[in-house]
Amino acid sequence: GGIFGYFLPRVFGYNEIVCRTTAIETAMKSSAFAFLLASLHFGSYSVRVPAAVSVVWMALIGSSLAVMWRYIPVNHTLKFDRSLAKRKNGL
């Protein structure tokens, strides 16, 4: 999920900060969602094991990715100026 979470926003033109955030959030939540679905819909505990392992794995990978990206600088992008949006919309 994290790879698609990074490259899909990149394809649509989002900046690096959005791509990184989406990658981390997507990776972390997809494994937790898999565990939730396995617990709700399957009675056997053995069905939940892959999802539980995935939760731990994604927590480690997501945290490592966040630490790594903390030290890789992001090019500064222009900040959104609300006054321009108001002028454009005639507000």
Side-chain angles (χ1 to χ4, degrees):
I3 294 171
F4 288 116
Y6 181 82
F7 287 109
L8 192 62
R10 176 65 69 195
V11 168
F12 287 108
Y14 287 96
N15 65 18
E16 182 71 15
I17 295 171
V18 172
C19 294
R20 290 180 182 188
T21 303
T22 307
I24 292 170
E25 289 295 324
T26 305
M28 302 291 281
K29 289 183 181 176
S30 60
S31 60
F33 186 58
F35 181 76
L36 177 68
L37 287 176
S39 340
L40 290 175
H41 297 289
F42 299 103
S44 174
Y45 286 105
S46 62
V47 174
R48 301 175 193 175
V49 171
V53 170
S54 177
V55 168
V56 174
W57 177 252
M58 286 299 144
L60 292 173
I61 294 299
S63 302
S64 301
L65 203 55
V67 168
M68 180 185 78
W69 276 337
R70 179 179 181 191
Y71 295 105
I72 298 175
V74 175
N75 293 336
H76 294 286
T77 58
L78 297 174
K79 293 186 178 180
F80 182 72
D81 186 2
R82 293 191 186 279
S83 64
L84 294 175
K86 288 178 183 177
R87 244 184 276 149
K88 183 177 179 181
N89 293 331
L91 299 175

